[in-house]
Amino acid sequence: MPSPIRLLAIESSCDETSAAVLEDGKVLSNVIYTQTVHEKYGGVMPEEASRLHIRHIVPVVEEAFVQSGISKHDINAVAYTQSPGLIGSLLVGGGFAKSFAQAMGIPTIAVNHMQAHVLSNLIADKKPSFPFLCLTVSGGHTQIIQCNAPLDMVVLGETLDDAAGEAFDKSAKMLGLPYPGGPLIDNYAQLGNPSAFTFAKPNIEGYGFSFSGVKTSILYFLQAEKKKDENFIEKNLNDLCASIQHTIISILIKKLIKASKETGIKDICIAGGVSANSGLRKAIQETAVKQKWNYFIPKFEYCTDNAAMIAITGYYKYLNNEFAGMEETASARSSF
Ligand code: KG4
Ligand code: ZN
């Protein structure tokens, strides 16, 4: 095994083109290009996303090398997001990783994006102990994971329909806010009253989640109020955002408490784009005090899609000798 181990990592599963350089588990650079063009479509346009990945991947990788101070000749392997994600977007990152590795005569490492979100909690110096629980909340997934070792994870529960990020984004759309609406709801919510309005909360068995009923409840409520006052949303935007955010967060926290109580695990992490939400971060801190949890929240740049999390996962796979074959292709869906 070489010492130090230096990896290049590529993330391109959705609308972020990202590259990171890692040395012995330490992130040296993490460059992220976010495709803002999708705002005008109200969601990610897959074909446009693939084109933009092709345009940006080389400059993003070059910048990651510059910031790391490492030469491309000193890289030992290339980790890339293999699944899940938009197939056209994944193929750009995977194709780039394989071409780069082939040219340099080094192996590639295929990484599962959801596993990587969980392991973003192992980037900081202060790390959770195994086993830990992770609430992974992104635009496409909502899962409670039991992580027994870096590459040994079990999905305890997940959403039966919409993901938490989707619930944020679709609610934002109903309020007339642009895509992605999650961060905007977060901003307005900070000025509003979380108890101003109440919305339906589903009663799902076990560790599962459901957000489609919440969405419908918000839709019917807004339709009824707009009939009475067409400016209802504008007049109550802060309170609406605070109440919607509060509803989503309380559904998430309730299940996390249940999972911690029933497994006896007290090291609790959050991950994924929605873990950037200030209300969720605060709720985790407050719940941690009451439940006596050791809590771990990734830095903002490691919450939404980024290559540093692909790099840290690639590092553990490297240590485990888990390399990808040239024939390994991208996959839109996958579990780990
Ligand atoms: O993990 P991520 O970057 O991409 C996926 O793998 O899906 O997550 C994106 C999701 C979007 O739904 C976005 O609205 C949400 O994360 N998000 C937020 C915040 N920042 C990003 N949701 C609520 N509050 C935020 N501050
Ligand atoms: Zn993600």
Side-chain angles (χ1 to χ4, degrees):
M1 191 126 337
S3 178
I5 297 167
R6 293 181 175 129
L7 302 184
L8 168 67
I10 308 289
E11 154 63 29
S12 71
S13 65
C14 192
D15 56 347
E16 262 93 22
T17 315
S18 180
V21 176
L22 183 110
E23 184 177 77
D24 279 344
K26 191 170 174 294
V27 176
L28 301 182
S29 64
N30 180 41
V31 177
I32 304 170
Y33 169 76
T34 299
Q35 306 174 354
T36 51
V37 68
H38 305 290
E39 215 179 285
K40 65 172 184 261
Y41 303 118
V44 178
M45 177 72 87
E47 192 182 318
E48 189 76 4
S50 311
R51 275 203 208 100
L52 287 169
H53 283 305
I54 290 176
R55 191 174 302 158
H56 291 281
I57 195 148
V58 171
V60 163
V61 169
E62 278 176 345
E63 182 58 26
F65 276 121
V66 169
Q67 289 187 17
S68 71
I70 299 281
S71 156
K72 61 178 182 289
H73 299 285
D74 295 330
I75 292 295
N76 303 106
V78 188
Y80 66 95
T81 306
Q82 189 226 3
S83 64
L86 299 172
I87 198 78
S89 291
L90 289 166
L91 285 169
V92 177
F96 176 91
K98 282 177 193 191
S99 313
F100 183 96
Q102 180 86 347
M104 305 307 285
I106 54 177
T108 57
I109 303 167
V111 170
N112 178 290
H113 181 88
M114 298 315 296
Q115 194 167 28
H117 269 305
V118 175
L119 297 189
S120 63
N121 283 287
L122 301 187
I123 295 174
D125 291 339
K126 185 178 163 246
K127 298 181 190 358
S129 312
F130 297 103
F132 65 81
L133 294 181
C134 183
L135 172 70
T136 315
V137 270
S138 73
H141 293 78
T142 300
Q143 300 178 320
I144 295 183
I145 303 288
Q146 180 173 327
C147 186
N148 299 315
L151 303 176
D152 175 5
M153 296 184 196
V154 182
V155 182
L156 296 185
E158 57 193 331
T159 183
L160 307 176
D161 41 57
D162 290 353
E166 252 177 305
F168 269 103
D169 295 340
K170 288 178 179 171
S171 304
K173 203 169 181 176
M174 290 183 229
L175 299 176
L177 302 174
Y179 177 86
L184 296 170
I185 291 202
D186 189 354
N187 288 345
Y188 290 114
Q190 291 176 31
L191 306 168
N193 171 10
S195 314
F197 308 109
T198 46
F199 303 109
K201 284 188 207 147
N203 206 359
I204 306 293
E205 294 231 328
Y207 305 124
F209 300 95
S210 167
F211 290 102
S212 73
V214 181
K215 191 180 63 188
T216 312
S217 153
I218 295 168
L219 179 69
Y220 287 168
F221 173 77
L222 291 177
Q223 281 174 348
E225 292 300 326
K226 277 199 289 191
K227 268 189 196 149
K228 291 185 249 166
D229 176 0
E230 61 176 22
N231 297 319
F232 176 78
I233 292 179
E234 292 73 16
K235 286 181 189 161
N236 296 282
L237 189 59
N238 295 339
D239 285 349
L240 282 166
C241 288
S243 304
I244 291 168
Q245 180 169 298
H246 175 72
T247 305
I248 297 171
I249 292 172
S250 53
I251 293 169
L252 296 170
I253 295 285
K254 190 176 163 196
K255 284 294 164 88
L256 199 49
I257 293 175
K258 178 178 164 69
S260 168
K261 280 196 174 143
E262 291 177 6
T263 58
I265 297 172
K266 296 269 185 190
D267 276 31
I268 309 290
C269 302
I270 56 172
V274 181
S275 66
N277 182 271
S278 56
L280 179 59
R281 294 166 91 92
K282 194 161 159 248
I284 289 285
Q285 289 170 31
E286 288 169 1
T287 313
V289 175
K290 287 190 205 136
Q291 300 292 329
K292 302 197 166 37
W293 288 347
N294 306 313
Y295 71 92
F296 302 84
I297 300 178
K299 272 169 66 178
F300 279 111
E301 67 173 306
Y302 304 138
C303 289
T304 46
D305 290 347
N306 67 90
M309 69 183 194
I310 306 303
I312 194 81
T313 311
Y315 174 67
Y316 287 105
K317 290 192 120 180
Y318 190 104
L319 296 177
N320 231 16
N321 268 310
E322 287 185 41
F323 297 106
M326 277 308 272
E327 73 292 348
E328 212 146 332
T329 56
S331 165
R333 291 179 198 287
S334 85
S335 54
F336 46 83

